[in-house]
Amino acid sequence: MMRKAAVLILCLLLVAPALAVPGNGNGNGQGKAGNSAPVLLEEDAGDEQDPAVNATPEPTKAPGKGKPLTVKVSTAPGQVKKNATLHERLRERVNQTVGDLENETGALPPEKQKVWKNQNEVRLAVHTFLALGEMDGGIGKNVSAIARTFNNSIQTRLQAEEQIQARPGWMRFLAGGDEAAAETLFQNLNQSRDQIREMQRLVENCTCDNETRTLLQDQLRVMEEEQERLRALAGNETADSGVIGWIWK
């Protein structure tokens, strides 16, 4: 009996350290609840402002195919700073035009919105050159005169593309693409090609600052990409002969 009691006491002595509660002293544990250090929450770490308050506006992208025009908003619309450079004034006008075109397109019936969005980039480019004519007495007047002629042809492009997009599927299946609308586009593209080349020549010889020249060259690049898109659209339309055209080959 005494032997059993001794063994029991020995077991208790061996197990007792493992049952001790950690941190009940000056070790690395938390200690008693009353002596634990307060935890500083992340939101209480300082008086930092909400990042959204001073967020920098993201670049604006005009809808459509091709390289999007990036516009950095430096001032509120209609509040161009005094003594602003030509580039800054043009950039501000571009900002305003982007919003105008988006509002105009959003007010159209859904079936027309896709076509107008396709050509919004080139419309923005044309408006940039028209604005240049108001602000610059150098090449501005010559470039804006060409841009005005180009702008008058945009409505023809819109109508031709709308006509192509609205062609019923059954008619396309039987008779193929709309050759009349495609021919209208081809004629328009041939005229505007010469206009873009002349504008490129004027911009290359511009005495304006480098930032303005780069902005104008970006607009010309957008106009060229729109030429390629519409030429491909017209080409696909003439190549689609439909069932009747296939039979008569």
Side-chain angles (χ1 to χ4, degrees):
M1 190 72 179
M2 294 293 293
R3 183 178 299 177
K4 290 183 179 180
V7 172
L8 179 60
I9 293 172
L10 179 62
C11 290
L12 289 175
L13 290 175
L14 293 175
V15 175
L19 296 178
V21 179
N24 191 17
N26 296 326
N28 295 330
Q30 289 182 341
K32 295 182 180 180
N35 297 329
S36 60
V39 179
L40 183 62
L41 299 179
E42 185 176 354
E43 57 266 28
D44 296 331
D47 296 326
E48 296 180 0
Q49 295 181 353
D50 187 348
V53 175
N54 296 321
T56 302
E58 295 182 356
T60 302
K61 292 185 178 178
K65 183 180 178 182
K67 177 183 176 182
L69 175 65
T70 301
V71 183
K72 295 181 180 179
V73 182
S74 58
T75 55
Q79 295 182 359
V80 181
K81 64 182 182 181
K82 188 178 180 181
N83 299 325
T85 64
L86 176 60
H87 173 257
E88 290 171 334
R89 286 182 289 152
L90 272 177
R91 188 174 60 186
E92 179 60 28
R93 181 66 66 87
V94 169
N95 285 328
Q96 296 176 6
T97 305
V98 168
D100 293 341
L101 292 178
E102 290 179 350
N103 292 335
E104 180 183 2
T105 303
L108 294 172
E111 63 272 14
K112 288 189 175 185
Q113 287 187 11
K114 179 180 178 180
V115 175
W116 284 64
K117 286 180 179 179
N118 286 339
Q119 300 197 37
N120 266 354
E121 276 196 17
V122 74
R123 296 171 68 205
L124 176 60
V126 170
H127 279 281
T128 302
F129 285 108
L130 293 175
L132 179 66
E134 301 173 6
M135 302 176 185
D136 181 62
I139 69 164
K141 292 184 178 180
N142 294 331
V143 171
S144 64
I146 301 173
R148 190 171 294 106
T149 303
F150 191 103
N151 190 52
N152 294 336
S153 67
I154 290 181
Q155 186 63 34
T156 302
R157 295 179 177 218
L158 286 169
Q159 291 175 351
E161 188 172 0
E162 284 177 352
Q163 186 172 326
I164 290 173
Q165 298 294 347
R167 191 170 181 81
W170 64 267
M171 183 179 294
R172 185 175 295 280
F173 174 76
L174 294 175
D178 194 324
E179 294 187 4
E183 182 61 26
T184 298
L185 280 178
F186 278 131
Q187 293 177 359
N188 184 283
L189 293 171
N190 290 336
Q191 295 173 358
S192 56
R193 176 189 57 198
D194 296 335
Q195 294 168 350
I196 292 176
R197 287 177 179 174
E198 179 61 16
M199 295 172 73
Q200 287 174 333
R201 185 188 66 81
L202 291 170
V203 171
E204 289 174 359
N205 297 325
C206 175
T207 57
C208 53
D209 59 273
N210 291 333
E211 287 182 318
T212 300
R213 182 182 291 104
T214 300
L215 176 60
L216 297 177
Q217 288 173 338
D218 286 343
Q219 310 316 302
L220 289 170
R221 191 176 299 110
V222 167
M223 296 170 76
E224 286 183 322
E225 291 175 352
E226 179 66 3
Q227 292 275 110
E228 295 175 4
R229 184 188 73 83
L230 290 177
R231 192 172 294 278
L233 176 65
N236 291 336
E237 205 67 12
T238 55
D240 186 1
S241 57
V243 174
I244 296 176
W246 178 79
I247 293 174
W248 285 98
K249 282 185 177 180

